[in-house]
Amino acid sequence: GATKLASDKLFVAANSPKKNDTIFSIVRYGNVMGSRGSVIPFFIKESSKNIIPITDINMTRFNILLEEGVNMVMWALKHMKGGEIFVPKIPSYRISDLAKAIAENCTLKIIGIRPGEKIHEEMITKADSFSTIDLGKYYAILPSDRSVHKIYIQDKTSFTEVEKNFSYNSGENPHFLTVEEIRNLIKNNLMQES
């Protein structure tokens, strides 16, 4: 809402013509597996009670590992032109599958969606599609004035434009993690830290 509009205005202002060489770009990605905001530690704790509370059986989220997020930031620093919002192509998972991966025989207790919470994460909206390009491993939402688009062309950067009305959300993502894949990611990336 208003916060997004205010941050977008600051972002545009930060990239407007200036006298120094500083440029700004943004990386936008999904849930970092095991981070402070991740539901995984909560689910692990609740599994000892044999009941895992989930908000909605249809809920989905994007998933990224910490290392992948760091690699994306490093890639963006090397390739950014200024003004882009970079979005990785990452898998989704169903919250119910995440719960099953943590505790296969636990009961799932549906507690309902909280105010402001969404069933699916949306990282690229249909409105964004008119200025979004596909860079292979990442998407880039460019400023709508097409100034950065021209820089990509001048620099001979390989890209394709996404289809108009394209959106990238966790519910319609073509790549979903299976329960076993989620379990292995947790085992290989979180359990080693304990």
Side-chain angles (χ1 to χ4, degrees):
T3 305
K4 183 182 184 313
L5 290 175
S7 65
D8 287 350
K9 286 179 184 175
L10 287 172
F11 183 62
V12 170
N15 281 295
S16 63
K18 49 200 165 297
K19 294 179 181 163
N20 62 41
D21 294 330
T22 304
I23 59 173
F24 295 88
S25 292
I26 294 174
V27 294
R28 177 188 291 172
Y29 45 81
N31 293 303
V32 178
M33 183 171 262
S35 68
R36 184 175 295 178
S38 171
V39 72
I40 295 171
F42 173 72
F43 277 10
I44 291 170
K45 183 178 141 205
E46 291 298 300
S47 69
S48 67
K49 300 173 187 173
N50 211 24
I51 296 176
I52 296 181
I54 63 171
T55 52
D56 189 289
I57 198 73
N58 298 309
M59 185 171 280
T60 63
R61 290 294 180 260
F62 283 108
N63 185 70
I64 191 167
L65 300 174
L66 179 60
E67 181 180 352
E68 293 169 328
V70 170
N71 290 341
M72 179 186 175
V73 169
M74 300 306 290
W75 182 91
L77 285 169
K78 183 176 178 181
H79 294 92
M80 68 186 200
K81 313 295 184 204
E84 307 98 318
I85 301 172
F86 292 108
V87 178
K89 296 178 183 178
I90 53 179
S92 294
Y93 59 76
R94 290 168 188 82
I95 293 294
S96 57
D97 287 346
L98 174 64
K100 289 176 194 169
I102 290 170
E104 193 166 3
N105 297 319
C106 273
T107 301
L108 301 181
K109 179 182 176 187
I110 310 301
I111 59 172
I113 198 162
R114 296 174 297 208
E117 195 171 25
K118 296 179 180 178
I119 299 294
H120 308 293
E121 284 184 294
E122 188 168 38
M123 289 203 282
I124 300 174
T125 66
K126 287 182 181 183
D128 290 332
S129 72
F130 294 91
S131 56
T132 299
I133 60 173
D134 185 334
L135 295 166
K137 192 172 180 178
Y138 306 107
Y139 295 108
I141 304 168
L142 307 178
S144 58
D145 68 2
R146 302 197 55 87
S147 59
V148 178
H149 187 271
K150 291 174 187 173
I151 296 171
Y152 273 84
I153 293 170
Q154 289 169 353
D155 289 352
K156 296 182 171 48
T157 302
S158 178
F159 70 88
T160 56
E161 301 213 23
V162 300
E163 292 182 26
K164 303 311 170 211
N165 294 313
F166 165 82
S167 73
Y168 186 52
N169 72 68
S170 60
E172 296 174 353
N173 190 3
H175 183 190
F176 268 85
L177 296 171
T178 65
V179 171
E180 191 60 32
E181 288 172 323
I182 297 167
R183 188 175 292 125
N184 287 335
L185 284 171
I186 292 170
K187 179 180 161 193
N188 295 329
N189 294 284
L190 301 181
M191 297 309 188
Q192 295 173 349
E193 297 172 7
S194 302

